[in-house]
Amino acid sequence: MRLLAQIGMKLDAVDDAERLLEKVLVLTPDYQAARYEYAIALLARHKHMRAREEMEKLLRTDPHNRI
C-alpha cells in the first residue's frame, strides 16, 4: 500500500496517497517511513496542523533525526 501511495504522490493523486498511508498507519502505527510520507501528503494537501501532529509523533520516537 505504501508503494501505491508513492506512485500516487508522483502522479499527483495526493488524496488517494493520503488515504492509503492513513490505512497503513491504522494497521501498523509504528511504521515510521509511512508516517513520514503521510505527513508529506498532508502538507501537499495543505493540512498543516495534521501534518505537524504527525511530525511531532516522529520527533518523539527519534528526536535526533534531522529529516
Side-chain angles (χ1 to χ4, degrees):
M1 287 173 49
R2 183 174 163 229
L3 178 60
L4 288 172
Q6 289 173 346
I7 293 168
M9 290 291 288
K10 289 186 189 234
L11 295 176
D12 212 22
V14 182
D15 54 335
D16 294 332
E18 177 190 353
R19 281 192 299 258
L20 284 168
L21 290 165
E22 190 171 24
K23 288 180 184 181
V24 168
L25 290 172
V26 167
L27 296 172
T28 54
D30 294 333
Y31 195 175
Q32 303 306 326
R35 187 167 307 280
Y36 172 77
E37 291 175 4
Y38 179 56
I40 298 300
L42 290 170
L43 284 173
R45 297 206 57 217
H46 302 286
K47 296 181 178 182
H48 301 287
M49 293 302 291
R50 286 182 52 200
R52 181 182 172 144
E53 292 170 6
E54 296 302 320
M55 290 294 183
E56 287 174 349
K57 289 178 188 177
L58 286 169
L59 283 172
R60 279 194 295 272
T61 59
D62 188 8
H64 300 293
N65 189 342
R66 301 186 105 190
I67 294 176

